[in-house]
Amino acid sequence: MPGATKAARISRAYRVDGGDIFRLKDFDPADSGAVPKANSDDLLREGIERLADLQGKLYAQHQWALLLILQGLDASGKDSVIKHVMSGMNPLGCRAYSFKEPSSEELDHDFLWRHVSKLPERGGIGIFNRSYYEEVLVVRVHPELLEAEHIPSPLVGDDIWTQRFEDIRAHERYLARNGIVVRKFFLDVSKGEQRKRFLERLDRPEKNWKFNPDDLHQRASWDEYMSAYEDLIRNTSTPEAPWYVVPADRKWFTRLVVADAIIEALEEMGVDYPKLDEGQRRQIEDARKIVEAEKR
């Protein structure tokens, strides 16, 4: 958390470097590290304050941008992370987008098209609640959805997922080379915890609106989704755009891990308020004299 050394960062344990050695089963959705829950509110408050400070510098410096991608099964806590972790952000420099089922217009374009227009500008933070990774998740688990994308049939072969992984890596490399730092979070919720949250949505009237009958349909494909997530993380976690497999059974810990990873990304950019040259400092002093000379 704030002021932590790289060795002490709680998010480091959940960062994936990619490669064949990655296995999703090696991560525990109920893990909470060595952090006592009793300290979580204070730690998150400190993290939010640190994020607000860093965001101000990012916005003022106007060079880098930060793209945060949140992926996870239904009820994994994506909305909750955005609400709590980003609560101290200045809305002028932070925008969140929730990508639902693509429209007919979006289906008439390539699978990255609708996301490219939502990329953060320099000095900004963009949050994707779901993203182009749905194209190697939902579409992979339900390949009949490919028909709606009107891709020429010779291009839809057994290697389409490998090709999309290549395209995504190239896209994120391009973003990194243009100053858009990418951090990706898979909120790893257990099947048992998802069941508990589904029942809460059904039992509490104020949460009924969150329930979607399709959630149960997707839950029936749990194993297929886990396999798809493992494959995509293995193939698209890179040094410039790493994945974090974040334990999601305990929401308080999920928020701490995500906040810590964002803080580290911003600190690594070296964001700071712009330094004034001699001419600009003279202008400041001249302006001060003019304002001070005004009659009250």
Side-chain angles (χ1 to χ4, degrees), residues 21 27 31 85 119 125 152 204 210 215 235-236 263 280:
I21 62 172
F27 292 79
D31 187 20
V85 174
L119 290 172
I125 296 176
R204 294 177 58 179
K210 287 188 172 184
D215 294 348
N235 282 280
T236 63
I263 289 170
Q280 291 171 319

Side-chain angles (χ1 to χ4, degrees), residues 76-135:
S76 59
K78 298 182 294 297
D79 292 352
S80 176
V81 164
I82 295 171
K83 176 181 178 181
H84 289 85
V85 174
M86 315 305 286
S87 61
M89 294 288 183
N90 183 340
L92 289 174
C94 181
R95 294 180 175 83
Y97 300 95
S98 182
F99 290 98
K100 307 295 185 181
E101 183 178 343
S103 66
S104 57
E105 179 187 16
E106 290 166 341
L107 287 170
D108 280 339
H109 292 79
D110 64 271
F111 76 88
L112 289 172
W113 181 78
R114 65 172 176 159
H115 305 89
V116 170
S117 65
K118 307 301 183 184
L119 290 172
E121 67 280 8
R122 299 197 185 281
I125 296 176
I127 306 166
F128 285 2
N129 184 346
R130 300 188 188 275
S131 67
Y132 42 84
Y133 279 100
E134 295 294 289
E135 291 290 332

Side-chain angles (χ1 to χ4, degrees), residues 214-265:
D214 186 60
D215 294 348
L216 297 180
H217 174 61
Q218 299 302 332
R219 180 174 167 83
S221 301
W222 181 277
D223 291 342
E224 290 85 350
Y225 273 109
M226 291 298 100
S227 177
Y229 266 113
E230 184 173 83
D231 202 26
L232 80 85
I233 292 171
R234 184 183 295 134
N235 282 280
T236 63
S237 197
T238 62
E240 63 267 15
W243 277 101
Y244 291 80
V245 179
V246 185
D249 278 10
R250 294 179 171 88
K251 290 186 177 181
W252 62 268
F253 188 67
T254 306
R255 297 163 190 163
L256 290 179
V257 173
V258 173
D260 186 61
I262 299 171
I263 289 170
E264 181 177 29

